[in-house]
Amino acid sequence: PLRVGLATRPLVSSAVLAALHAPYVTDSIVSFETEPPGEAEMARRLAGGGELYPWLVAGDETGTILGYASASRFRPRAAYRFSVETSVYLARGAEGRGIGGRLYGALLDTLAAQGFAQAIGAIGLPNPASVALHEKLGFAQAGVYRDVGFKFGRWVSVGLWQKPLAPLPAVLSEPRPFAEVWNGG
């Protein structure tokens, strides 16, 4: 059975997350990084989420991490604080088993419960699997940044997919820390 939980140290090794992420850097246009982040950088990213931006992991009954989904600040200016950028990464061999949908769905549910209004997914194009996953989860294409990244000797565009997490009220409460709303998946 699949288990989804918060990615917290020491429960989840930053080295495991770095190893899972590395092929997305070295073998694809999914990540615009050109060097895979190491253990220290993944630990920094995990800690950088603070109390507002959760990282969730999916693992099997043996404790093997099959993927992670994370949230981060969409933009630094204060008016953007109700929007969040989201991503999901699966271990090689974990694709096509519904893990990404369950993991990403748990992240989106948590973000909605926290009080975020919009989720934004940025997808290096072409990436039909990621587009399909986002659209299955209720995201709609919001735009394309054309030819903004240069990787593997070619220009790559980035599509933006957006999902409303809640109706947009005129008066807002600030997003709450994820620990206040996390129900354990």
Side-chain angles (χ1 to χ4, degrees), residues 23-74:
Y24 290 98
V25 176
T26 59
D27 304 338
S28 77
I29 59 164
V30 169
S31 170
F32 273 27
E33 294 167 298
T34 56
E35 296 295 325
E39 179 179 358
E41 174 58 17
M42 290 306 278
R44 186 196 67 72
R45 292 178 188 184
L46 186 60
E51 295 181 356
L52 275 185
Y53 304 106
W55 283 55
L56 304 182
V57 294
D60 64 16
E61 64 279 354
T62 70
T64 300
I65 300 301
L66 301 173
Y68 73 87
S70 64
S72 60
R73 178 183 289 201
F74 173 62

Side-chain angles (χ1 to χ4, degrees), residues 45-127:
R45 292 178 188 184
L46 186 60
E51 295 181 356
L52 275 185
Y53 304 106
W55 283 55
L56 304 182
V57 294
D60 64 16
E61 64 279 354
T62 70
T64 300
I65 300 301
L66 301 173
Y68 73 87
S70 64
S72 60
R73 178 183 289 201
F74 173 62
R75 296 273 192 263
R77 295 200 169 72
Y80 289 116
R81 71 188 177 279
F82 298 101
S83 298
V84 63
E85 188 165 338
T86 57
S87 60
V88 62
Y89 293 91
L90 296 179
R92 285 200 170 153
E95 307 92 341
R97 296 172 23 201
I99 296 167
R102 286 190 50 204
L103 182 56
Y104 211 179
L107 177 68
L108 295 169
D109 290 345
T110 301
L111 294 168
Q114 286 180 257
F116 286 104
Q118 302 286 335
I120 309 294
I123 303 171
L125 299 174
N127 188 337

